[in-house]
Amino acid sequence: MTEPTFADLVSRWYEENARDLPWRKPDVGAWAILVSEVMLQQTPVVRVLPAWEAWLARWPVPAALAADSPAEAIRMWGRLGYPRRALRLRECAVAIVERHGGSVPDRLDQLLALPGVGTYTARAVAAFAYGQRHPVVDTNVRRVVCRAIAGEPDAGPTTRPADLVATEELLPEEPAAAALASAAFMELGALICTARTPRCGQCPVESTCAWRASGQEAPAGPTRRPQRYAGTDRQVRGLLLGVLREATGPVPHQRLDQVWADDVQRARALAGLVEDGLVEPVGAEAFRLVGDGPSLPLPDLAR
C-alpha cells in the first residue's frame, strides 16, 4: 500500500477542519474569489467577511464595478486599510470587461496582466477558482513548507522563487487535488503551524516534520517589526479619507484642517492621497474622492 504523501495528509486534515468561509463555497465564482484575495491582503478574515459580502452584493460581477466610479469603490472599501486596493480592484474590473468580456480569465498569464494582480493573487485565483495546479504561496504556506520540509523555524519576510519551487514539488499532479492541497497548506499555516505558538500536537504531519525532529524552538520575536500606526501619516490619511468618504460633495480645506492639528503632517498626508489617486482637488480650497467630479490642478498644500 502506498504511503500517503505530505499533500495527502494535509488535504485530509483540511477537509475535516477547514473554516467555513463563504468564498470557499463550491458555487462561488472567480470574481468573488478575486475580490476575497485582494481584501485578505494584510487584513484579518474577521474584518474582510462583512466587507466582502457588501461588496459582492453591490457589484456581483466585474461589469457592475467597472460601470461605477472610483469614489464609490473607495467608499465601499471603508476602513479595511490600504485603500489603493479598492482602486486597483476597480481598474482590474475595467480591464476584465475590456479584455475578457466581463469574465475573470482562467489563464495565469492573463491574470498576471490584470492591474494590481501579482504573483500570489494570480495563482490563487487560478487554483481556487479554476482548479489549476499552481503553487499558491503566502506567509502561511512558506512557514509550513520551511518547517516541515526544510527544518527551519521561519521562512523570512518575503517570498522567493525558491519558495514557489519548493511548494510546487509538494503538489499532486492532478490539478484538482493540487488546488485542494494549496488551500490546505494555507489553512494549516493559519490555524496550526502559526508563527509563535504552533499547535504541533494537532498537526497532521507532526511525525514527519523536519523542524520538530530538529528540536529547534520557534523564533522569540516577529520576523518583521509591526508597523506603528498611532501618530503616523497612515493614521492622518485614514482620518482625512474618513471625512471625504462620508461627504456628499466637495469638502472645504477648512473642514479637513480640523482633522489633525499638525499642519505640516496633515498637508503631507493630503498630498499623498492626491498623489496616490485617491483624492482630487476641487478648485483651490476643496477636495473630494477621485471620480466624484472633474479633476482640477492641485493647489498649494504647503501653506
Side-chain angles (χ1 to χ4, degrees):
M1 182 176 179
T2 305
E3 288 292 320
T5 66
F6 180 87
D8 291 336
L9 294 171
V10 181
S11 295
R12 291 173 190 172
W13 169 87
Y14 176 81
E15 291 180 312
E16 296 180 1
N17 297 279
R19 290 169 291 180
D20 183 18
L21 300 176
W23 44 82
R24 290 176 174 168
K25 301 293 185 183
D27 58 344
V28 169
W31 170 242
I33 290 173
L34 173 58
V35 171
S36 76
E37 291 298 340
V38 173
M39 287 187 169
L40 286 165
Q41 294 167 12
Q42 299 177 289
T43 308
V45 168
V46 67
R47 293 183 60 203
V48 167
L49 280 167
W52 181 84
E53 291 172 349
W55 190 281
L56 269 297
R58 180 166 180 176
W59 298 307
V61 294
L65 177 56
D68 216 331
S69 70
E72 289 308 303
I74 297 169
R75 285 195 175 97
M76 280 294 290
W77 197 258
R79 299 185 179 278
L80 276 182
Y82 303 98
R84 278 178 291 180
R85 289 182 293 172
L87 290 181
R88 300 293 85 80
L89 197 47
R90 183 184 173 276
E91 291 170 5
C92 189
V94 171
I96 290 170
V97 170
E98 292 177 347
R99 303 175 195 172
H100 306 289
S103 297
V104 177
D106 59 0
R107 281 173 36 189
L108 184 60
D109 61 335
Q110 293 176 336
L111 287 164
L112 286 167
L114 293 174
V117 173
T119 297
Y120 165 78
T121 303
R123 285 171 168 78
V125 173
F128 304 148
Y130 294 115
Q132 297 178 10
R133 185 183 187 275
H134 296 290
V136 184
V137 181
D138 69 351
T139 299
N140 290 317
V141 174
R142 287 191 295 109
R143 184 168 57 252
V144 166
V145 174
C146 186
R147 286 176 175 174
I149 307 303
E152 299 294 333
D154 203 295
T158 58
T159 299
R160 304 161 300 171
D163 296 319
L164 293 172
V165 173
T167 303
E168 185 170 14
E169 289 176 349
L170 298 172
L171 296 178
E173 288 301 320
E174 201 275 317
L180 175 65
S182 290
F185 296 167
M186 196 175 300
E187 192 78 339
L188 186 67
L191 300 183
I192 302 296
C193 192
T194 58
R196 305 299 154 227
T197 55
R199 303 185 325 198
C200 297
Q202 300 177 39
C203 180
V205 292
E206 180 190 16
S207 63
T208 60
C209 177
W211 177 55
R212 286 285 284 172
S214 74
Q216 297 181 69
E217 298 291 331
T223 302
R224 291 183 289 184
R225 291 183 179 180
Q227 292 184 340
R228 183 172 60 91
Y229 181 73
T232 64
D233 285 4
R234 280 184 59 218
Q235 182 184 15
V236 183
R237 284 164 59 101
L239 294 171
L240 291 168
L241 270 184
V243 172
L244 292 162
R245 276 198 309 268
E246 295 169 6
T248 56
V251 177
H253 214 311
Q254 292 84 351
R255 171 68 184 90
L256 296 176
D257 288 347
Q258 300 172 22
V259 167
W260 196 256
D262 187 327
D263 293 342
V264 174
Q265 187 177 23
R266 186 183 61 251
R268 183 172 64 242
L270 184 56
L273 290 172
V274 173
E275 183 178 354
D276 288 345
L278 295 163
V279 172
E280 62 185 11
V282 183
E285 292 295 330
F287 292 85
R288 61 183 156 207
L289 295 180
V290 68
D292 268 0
S295 182
L296 296 173
L298 176 64
D300 182 8
L301 301 182
R303 59 181 180 82

